[in-house]
């Protein structure tokens, strides 16, 4: 009876998925059909959740890594009247909602996206290969919370070619996150071709076993077999995680949609009746035509989620000097040199946050002794997730931790976060509050050379800083501290502010510029030197390491009779008006950046070019490919950003003004 | 005798590697020592090559994926006097060169980089996990050439966590590229911790077998065993590729450098003598102390490369209309609608290039029926490499193909190239002539939603367009065609120009704007509409899809009495002066972009802000997170870039000017 109810339900959902994609005029009904039974067994039977509260704490989760299959989940949510929140107000999902799929005024988007008001999902998916890492993050958050929730993740067989899937397989096995169940949807058909033999079900099973998982092969359209394997999932941390290799049929139930050539192609309006009739015929053939899918709810009862675990309240983290004082090595260095690297300040802040707030978690990619995330790792091992040399998985797992209610800091060299730009964008689309920390940024890294220097990071991140997300915030806020006090304050601010952040921290020790109580509001800047006159000014605007180069340059310039202001522009997006006003009409702003173009130079130039009577803006940046050098100053001179270069650029600009 | 000669040589190279890193004050001597025997056996015995012509065609290749181990290879190159070309002039590498490691005026960089004058290497490495894909590309190029060269790739065990390694393992097995030999350097120690059990040698062997490779475990310090396994490498396409699991000791030969805590740490000047003495002691213990490493050349003879295969000369590709005429479907569509999508033009151009030039090769990531690379795939199967859903491997393999003398076009959705931004940057650092084609770019993709829309691509790529590479070229040239004629011409130009390119192609059919003989020089633009007056002007500047939106907007504006010029700015970097001059002093430039900020708006604003008496620049771009919409215009209106938005922005700017 139960098996027949699942069959009837799966067919009903398949029909809804076909109708939705036909209504949209695009989408992936054939992939949806291959998942009809898997999704039905999960959402109507195995998962412990509540359609009225799809994001209730403690609920089992479903991560649809192959996001294009989403119409089958939308169909189930429609059938169940799952709570949605378009525009913020909660109500049950309706058939009209479903049929508005992919229209501009609908929250029912082409791929899963919680930010649009679809709380059943934890993360935006659609760029393939990322879901299993998100699932790992959700599982990690659940473990911290003491929650026994299960996380089911559906992955396409073709999608399994993405290396990130195997990073996630390792990560989950490494950390014993066996509450994650990976389901590979093996329909053997990709978009442009059959899947490679390297992704056939036998290969996937072999690989999963080699990665330390238990692989179980199942008929993906057999309700009893699916349920049996899912109910036998492991529940102990020591057990091998379960990988279900589900053999499925793309376009299941509709012979005309079988085989190659139907990926991402909806049924035409003219063909709709025939497609739906084919599914009806399949229902008759299976002997489930008489079952009312609506009435099957009596058989397909959904178990509610267990009560949420209690959470521990947060306290205030200690201040910078107290954090310094706790570490004798750092305290001695600060006392002696009045200098400290921003990455070291990150490490101190992260540890202080860890002590103050149980929601703070951290990840790093085998460089925690360079980023200084190692203090946190040692102090809070149960909240630290070593991601090894696999940055993509690290970032998506951080997104999962964020969705699971944590405040995840993910650190590595800024250059290596570039490995995860796609994952960062997906996290941002889904509204995950990532706290990214990229250390060793810029050409001042020096000796290791350009393969290790973050240089295009600022242009990429600034693009997002000018995108308003669905919560009305900058999609990413970029922070570049010029000293350890600033770095410390910014890390605390990142932790306690919603949204995604990128802290760009250089490797070098930098002189401390600010008093401990200095505040660094997002969008702000600091005027470090300013000429007393009221007229047009020459203003050097920099961030991070280059602030110090500018301060050195103004000393030189002062001796030559030039009075030059210096601004520490630590934030993108930047409130540009006061910086431009400081230079004033007829003045000159000169930006100095240890990165490729697209940062504060663009920020101020765009504002100046739009305004009337704005000062001129000259942008110094890295415009030649760097190489190794033994000191930061060697490399800065090579890329023409040394103190002497700044001085001569100012002198040339001053000549042109005069 | 031979084994003893290898031991003596390995120790001599290890000493050089230690001296080099101590001289540099940074670097990774312990990783270098773990590779001493593997590198010696390869470079002094197994590889068929010529130190005087390290890049001679037909030579066996060594790709050092774990680039930080490079001092051991530099040591061998010093010992062998391998030809280097610092600044272009060829000469043998010297001990002085080696000891200048990582200094700013040295070509001996912190990580391998052929662009600096080190032709032994084919690609820049250093960002981990990419070398095996490069090796795959080199092997693919060799197969096309009929060359039997072997490609050896050394990978760290910790590095094997990177998913891209497994993408490459699949790709090599899929395409039968068994001339690639993967050597995993299993020293069990990462940077911040021991490697995970998931990367221990047993796991790596199991995984390699599951990925269809033959895994052979060997003592990585036993010259006889290493040579034996390497000489038995497979030579047929049908054989499983060989994966050598080499058990090694990090810091081999120097007890003080063993265990954790010595990664990336050079021996201090004070400790140098002791470290070298430890290696001498090891030589004595092995009974090889009496062997003069210099004289061992008599035993360690290097076999020369076979003669290079002959290459087929290229001819001229056919023109746009001839290419259209060859495809009846396209010809009919063009005749009827006078419109065609840029991606379709890419497909036509790629096929025309394939027919004309045997060096042109193509890769795609399971979307070849969307990018239209499928025509090439069908016509030239031996030059097409389906990369499946694994963009990172695709891009690095393309870099390898470029190093192997091919002209590699790599296509997928522009959004998914973001998955490979790190790989693109590494290819650019190494000077690989990548021809990247990103289709379905921008918010006009519409129905699939933001997970599939390339929006931050322009900001990232423009950053590189302003970086001069070591050949004096823009590191990347970005081309955004506004019609099929332009797209066709640009694809041909990309193929026949050195350097890296990114073609940004929208999904939609676009009206054809240009005559077949129109030329599109890099850096240029096209004035499509211009007011007759000589005074200040309102100029709309756009690219791609938005050119058409602007042309529609000026029709509307003309009716309201506004005369507005339209510029197609298809190239970044852009020669901005004539565009600014067109608007003139007191004029207004309004840029209109279907991407996040950081593109032509920044390009023109930066130029205008720097100049005296420049026109003002207003930048319209995507500043809100898009979502699905059923038509491009629905989504453009949502992100406030519809025709009506352009019209009102122009009207507002005109009011402010007046």
């Amino acid at each position: 009876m139960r098996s027949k109810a699942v069959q009837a339900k799966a067919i009903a959902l398949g029909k809804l998925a076909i109708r939705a994609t036909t209504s949209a005029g695009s989408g992936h009904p054939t992939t949806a059909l291959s998942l009809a039974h898997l999704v039905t067994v999960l959402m109507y039977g195995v998962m412990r959740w509540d359609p009225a509260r799809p994001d209730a704490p403690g609920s089992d989760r479903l991560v649809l890594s192959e996001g294009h299959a989403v119409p089958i989940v939308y169909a189930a949510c429609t059938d169940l009247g799952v709570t949605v929140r378009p525009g913020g107000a909660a109500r049950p999902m309706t058939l009209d909602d479903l049929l508005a799929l992919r229209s501009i005024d609908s929250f029912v988007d082409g791929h899963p996206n919680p930010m649009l008001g679809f709380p059943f999902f934890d993360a935006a998916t659609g760029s393939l290969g990322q879901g299993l890492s998100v699932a790992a993050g959700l599982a990690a958050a659940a473990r911290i919370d003491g929650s026994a929730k299960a996380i089911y993740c559906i992955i396409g067989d073709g999608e399994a070619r993405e290396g990130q899937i195997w990073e996630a397989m390792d990560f989950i096995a490494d950390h014993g996150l066996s509450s994650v169940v990976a389901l590979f949807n093996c329909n053997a058909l990709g978009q442009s071709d059959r899947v490679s033999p390297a992704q056939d079900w036998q290969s996937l099973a072999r690989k999963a076993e080699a990665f330390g998982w238990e692989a179980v092969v199942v008929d993906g359209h057999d309700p009893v077999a699916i349920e049996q394997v899912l109910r036998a999932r492991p529940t102990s941390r020591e057990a091998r995680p379960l990988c279900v290799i589900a053999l499925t049929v793309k376009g299941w139930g509709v012979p005309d949609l079988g085989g190659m050539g139907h990926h991402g192609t909806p049924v035409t309006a003219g063909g709709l009746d025939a497609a739906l009739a084919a599914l009806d015929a399949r229902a008759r053939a299976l002997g489930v035509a008489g079952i009312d899918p609506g009435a099957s709810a009596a058989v397909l009862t959904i178990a509610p989620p267990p009560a949420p675990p209690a959470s521990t309240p947060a306290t205030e983290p200690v201040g910078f000097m107290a954090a310094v004082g706790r570490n004798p090595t750092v305290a001695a260095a600060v006392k002696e040199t009045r200098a400290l690297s921003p990455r070291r300040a990150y490490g101190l802040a992260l540890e202080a946050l860890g002590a103050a707030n149980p929601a703070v978690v951290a990840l790093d990619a085998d460089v925690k002794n360079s980023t200084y995330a190692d203090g946190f790792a040692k102090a809070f091992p149960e909240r630290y997730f070593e991601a090894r040399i696999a940055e993509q998985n690290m970032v998506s797992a951080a997104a999962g931790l964020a969705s699971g209610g944590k405040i995840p800091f993910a650190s590595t060299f800024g250059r290596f976060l570039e490995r995860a730009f796609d994952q960062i964008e997906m996290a941002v689309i889904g509204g995950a509050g990532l706290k990214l920390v990229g250390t060793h940024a810029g050409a001042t890294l020096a000796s290791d050379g350009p393969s290790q220097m973050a240089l295009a990071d600022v242009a990429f991140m600034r693009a997002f800083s000018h995108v308003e997300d669905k919560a009305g915030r900058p999609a990413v806020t970029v922070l570049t501290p010029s000293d350890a006090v600033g770095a410390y304050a910014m890390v605390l601010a990142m932790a306690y502010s919603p949204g995604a952040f990128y802290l760009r921290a250089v490797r070098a020790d930098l002189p401390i510029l600010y008093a401990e109580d200095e505040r660094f509001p997002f969008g702000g800047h600091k005027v470090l030197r300013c000429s007393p006159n009221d007229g047009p000014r020459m203003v050097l605007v920099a961030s991070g390491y280059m602030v110090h180069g500018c301060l050195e340059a103004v000393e030189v310039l002062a001796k030559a009779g030039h009075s030059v202001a210096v601004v520490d522009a630590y934030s993108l997006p930047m409130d540009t008006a006061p910086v431009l006003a400081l230079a004033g009409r007829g003045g000159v702003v000169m930006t100095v950046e240890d990165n490729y173009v697209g940062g504060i130079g663009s920020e101020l130039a765009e504002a100046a070019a739009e305004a009337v009577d704005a000062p001129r803006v000259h942008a110094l940046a890295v415009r030649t490919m760097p190489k190794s050098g033994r000191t930061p100053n060697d490399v800065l001179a090579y890329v023409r950003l040394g103190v002497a270069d700044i001085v001569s650029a100012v002198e040339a600009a001053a000549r042109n003004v005069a």
Side-chain angles (χ1 to χ4, degrees), chain A:
Chain A
M1 176 58 197
R2 185 173 175 82
S3 171
K4 290 201 166 186
V6 170
Q7 285 286 6
K9 184 63 76 182
I11 287 170
L13 299 184
K15 289 168 71 176
L16 285 174
I18 290 175
R19 287 174 65 191
T21 47
T22 297
S23 168
S26 70
H28 301 75
T30 58
T31 314
L33 286 168
S34 72
L35 290 181
H37 297 84
L38 286 166
V39 164
T40 303
V41 170
L42 282 167
M43 292 181 67
Y44 292 81
V46 170
M47 285 174 66
R48 298 158 301 174
W49 70 298
D50 180 353
R53 299 182 302 138
D55 52 355
S59 306
D60 289 344
R61 311 307 301 162
L62 174 59
V63 179
L64 191 66
S65 189
E66 52 170 341
H68 56 276
V70 70
I72 197 71
V73 177
Y74 287 152
C77 289
T78 303
D79 178 60
L80 291 165
V82 165
T83 296
V84 290
R85 297 195 195 98
R91 62 168 177 77
M93 184 164 179
T94 67
L95 182 61
D96 283 349
D97 290 334
L98 179 70
L99 297 180
L101 174 69
R102 294 179 170 225
S103 62
I104 195 68
D105 50 3
S106 164
F107 66 96
V108 186
D109 226 49
H111 290 78
N113 189 351
M115 274 294 259
L116 291 172
F118 208 90
F120 179 80
F121 287 119
D122 298 282
T125 53
S127 179
L128 294 172
Q130 304 183 20
L132 191 60
S133 304
V134 171
L138 289 166
R143 176 191 292 166
I144 294 168
D145 290 338
S147 161
K149 72 171 79 166
I151 326 284
Y152 300 96
C153 181
I154 297 179
I155 305 155
D157 48 0
E159 180 186 11
R161 184 73 167 232
E162 285 287 2
Q164 187 183 350
I165 293 289
W166 303 98
E167 295 177 1
M169 295 289 279
D170 270 345
F171 182 83
I172 289 166
D174 248 6
H175 291 283
L177 296 168
S178 46
S179 60
V180 175
V181 176
L183 299 104
F184 285 98
N185 174 25
C186 296
N187 61 35
L189 302 177
Q191 171 179 324
S192 76
D193 203 348
R194 297 183 59 79
V195 303
S196 158
Q199 276 69 49
D200 66 21
W201 65 267
Q202 297 97 327
S203 292
L204 290 178
R206 261 198 314 274
K207 290 177 179 178
E209 292 273 342
F211 276 70
W213 290 54
E214 184 188 1
V216 178
V217 181
V218 68
D219 176 349
H221 300 290
D222 178 342
V224 174
I226 299 167
E227 187 160 349
Q228 196 168 24
V229 62
L230 291 179
R231 292 217 184 267
R233 71 176 178 83
T235 50
S236 97
R237 184 169 173 166
E238 289 67 35
R240 285 192 298 165
L242 175 64
C243 174
V244 178
I245 309 283
L247 309 186
T248 61
V249 176
K250 200 161 176 174
W252 183 89
V254 185
D256 286 353
L257 298 182
M260 280 304 300
H262 301 285
H263 182 93
T265 310
V267 174
T268 60
L272 183 60
D273 287 346
L276 300 179
L279 279 169
D280 286 334
R282 179 59 74 100
R284 286 192 298 276
L286 289 167
V288 300
I291 298 176
D292 172 7
S296 63
V299 180
L300 303 177
T301 48
I302 299 175
S311 62
T312 319
T315 58
E316 277 294 299
V318 299
F320 175 72
M321 284 312 298
V324 166
R326 287 178 176 186
N327 185 318
T329 317
V330 174
V334 168
K335 192 172 174 194
E336 188 185 323
T337 64
R338 290 293 302 161
L340 199 67
S341 68
R343 61 188 169 119
R344 180 64 101 163
Y346 162 62
L348 296 175
L350 186 63
E351 212 174 325
L353 280 166
N357 190 335
V360 170
V361 301
L363 309 92
D364 193 277
D366 192 28
V367 289
K368 60 182 176 291
N369 54 336
S370 293
T371 62
Y372 290 112
D374 55 359
F376 183 97
K378 199 174 285 183
F380 310 102
E382 76 289 357
R383 283 189 270 145
Y384 175 76
F385 298 90
E386 175 56 55
R388 309 285 176 172
I389 307 174
E391 298 77 9
Q392 303 186 96
N393 174 70
M394 176 175 75
V395 167
S396 299
L401 279 155
S403 297
K406 304 303 166 199
I407 301 170
F409 281 83
S411 56
T412 181
F413 282 28
R415 176 66 181 76
F416 305 144
L417 282 176
E418 190 173 313
R419 193 62 152 263
F421 276 3
D422 181 5
Q423 288 76 12
I424 291 169
E425 180 162 2
M426 288 309 300
V428 163
I429 290 171
L434 287 187
K435 318 299 177 187
L436 301 167
V437 177
T439 65
H440 299 65
T444 57
L445 172 57
S447 62
D448 282 315
S451 69
Q452 323 284 302
M453 295 170 176
L455 292 162
D457 57 332
V458 180
F460 181 80
M461 295 293 186
R462 190 182 79 97
F464 289 94
S465 81
H466 285 273
V467 177
E468 190 180 273
D469 73 12
K470 298 300 164 218
R473 288 186 293 259
V476 175
T477 299
V478 182
L479 299 170
T480 306
S482 63
D483 84 345
V485 170
Y488 191 91
M490 292 175 204
V491 172
L492 300 196
M494 286 163 70
Y496 286 99
S497 306
F501 290 84
Y502 172 53
L503 184 89
R504 187 174 199 259
V506 300
R507 176 182 193 276
D509 283 332
L510 298 177
I512 291 176
L513 296 173
Y514 297 105
E516 191 188 16
D517 59 354
E518 186 82 33
R519 300 181 75 83
F520 298 85
F522 306 142
H525 65 274
K526 302 287 171 188
V527 180
L528 294 177
R529 296 281 184 283
C530 193
S531 51
N533 61 304
D534 277 341
R537 289 192 186 87
M538 171 73 69
V539 181
L540 284 167
V541 183
S543 66
Y545 193 101
M546 301 315 295
V547 168
H548 302 272
C550 289
L551 290 172
E552 279 188 58
V554 296
E555 297 298 323
V556 178
L557 288 160
K559 287 176 192 149
H562 296 285
S563 173
V564 179
V566 176
V567 167
D568 178 356
Y570 59 83
S571 176
L572 290 169
M574 190 197 307
D575 181 7
T576 51
V579 180
L580 295 177
L582 188 68
R585 180 181 178 173
V588 175
V589 167
M590 184 164 295
T591 61
V592 187
E593 295 179 84
D594 179 15
N595 47 254
Y596 294 155
V597 301
I600 58 181
S602 302
E603 189 88 353
L604 286 161
E606 288 166 18
E610 197 168 7
V612 181
D613 295 335
R616 283 159 57 205
V617 179
H618 291 271
L620 303 185
V622 181
R623 292 174 188 270
T624 189
M625 186 71 71
K627 64 173 299 301
S628 292
R630 290 187 178 174
T631 69
N633 286 342
D634 280 356
V635 179
L636 287 177
Y638 181 84
V639 298
R640 300 189 288 278
L641 288 173
V643 171
D645 300 294
I646 300 170
V647 167
S648 46
V650 168
E651 286 176 335
R655 270 196 303 277
N656 289 344
V657 168

